[in-house]
Amino acid sequence: MNTVLVDGAGVTTNINEQPPPLTAAEWEALCDTAEAAVRDINAHWLVIGGSFPEVEGGRTAALNRMLAAVSAEGARVCVDSSGPVLREILEHHGTQVDLVKPNVEELADAAGMPVTTQADLVTAAEELLGLGVNRALVTAGAQGMFLIGSRSRLWARSGPVPVVNTTGAGDAALAGFLSQDRSPLAPLSAVERSLTQAMAWGASAVQTAAAVPTRIVPLPHVEVREPDLDASLTHAEPEN
């Protein structure tokens, strides 16, 4: 169970329950269920997100079988998890993952290096690319988000928006990106549209307190450009 507390000043506190350990049979059943769901709906993407349970005998074998089966169905894989788990998955399955979606803190943990500038962010993302993953979509709070891949480095940011609750902004941004990103060989213009959608959905999500928005807020204007390698990354409340 995950609980989010939002006080009158707009400060959020997240209380996240850790998953209980699973037996090998339970973990295999979970992987089989995910694989079947991808096949049943002909999914374009499988997102592996959140906290990972400890598994009796380890997670690698069943996860490897599931990723191979999902890839055979034509779906691509995104991993949205914390630094140590993200690193573990990439070290064992990096070539089977198309996209990772860390925030700045998670990126630093996964890459094993401080990330205080945009140049650091690019270097850390490329460290993960060296493990086989194709692209890293890195959310950076009020400073926007970055898409780092072998074919492009892009930075998207919006104009200022009123921030009420940052919880779920990263999930909203990822949903916006995946809703547009249908081909790994898309031209740069299509990639920019995907990143623009991601930034707009994330910026809209922070403007409402509820997990499910009770009102429609206008999508902000989004600018996409190359990262500014001389710029610092100021501290921002992480998005979940």
Side-chain angles (χ1 to χ4, degrees):
M1 177 181 294
N2 299 327
T3 303
V4 180
L5 307 177
V6 184
D7 69 14
V11 176
T12 60
T13 301
N14 295 303
I15 305 170
N16 298 328
E17 182 180 14
Q18 293 300 305
L22 299 180
T23 66
E26 289 170 332
W27 177 245
E28 289 179 5
L30 179 61
C31 291
D32 289 345
T33 300
E35 176 192 335
V38 167
R39 183 171 56 252
D40 290 346
I41 66 172
N42 192 28
H44 295 283
W45 284 96
L46 170 67
V47 177
I48 302 173
S51 301
F52 268 50
E54 293 298 325
V55 177
E56 176 187 31
R59 299 182 282 236
T60 301
L63 189 58
N64 188 62
R65 288 195 299 273
M66 180 190 72
L67 294 177
V70 164
S71 178
E73 294 292 335
R76 287 180 288 161
V77 175
C78 169
V79 178
D80 180 7
S81 193
S82 61
V85 171
L86 178 58
R87 181 83 190 197
E88 175 190 331
I89 292 176
L90 293 184
E91 286 180 344
H92 289 96
H93 315 285
T95 57
Q96 296 171 292
V97 178
D98 184 80
L99 180 72
V100 293
K101 207 291 298 170
N103 60 32
V104 172
E105 181 180 356
E106 291 165 342
L107 175 65
D109 286 345
M113 61 173 286
V115 176
T116 60
T117 67
Q118 292 194 23
D120 291 341
L121 185 149
V122 171
T123 299
E126 290 178 341
E127 163 73 16
L128 300 190
L129 266 57
L131 298 175
V133 63
N134 290 330
R135 298 174 294 173
L137 179 65
V138 185
T139 50
Q143 292 194 285
M145 63 184 59
F146 299 79
L147 182 66
I148 309 300
S150 59
R151 297 194 298 147
S152 61
R153 299 173 175 176
L154 298 173
W155 172 28
R157 57 181 178 173
S158 73
V161 297
V163 177
V164 178
N165 179 10
T166 62
T167 301
D171 296 330
L174 178 59
F177 185 86
L178 298 184
S179 72
Q180 294 293 310
D181 190 80
R182 296 299 181 91
S183 170
L185 301 177
L188 181 60
S189 59
V191 175
E192 290 180 351
R193 286 196 298 272
S194 298
L195 191 57
T196 297
Q197 182 95 311
M199 186 68 232
W201 285 23
S204 296
V206 302
Q207 299 180 57
T208 59
V212 178
T214 56
R215 61 188 178 90
I216 302 298
V217 297
L219 295 180
H221 172 73
V222 175
E223 175 190 9
V224 178
R225 51 171 290 186
E226 292 186 356
D228 181 353
L229 300 182
D230 295 322
S232 297
L233 290 170
T234 58
H235 173 75
E237 185 177 352
E239 330 82 357
N240 296 312

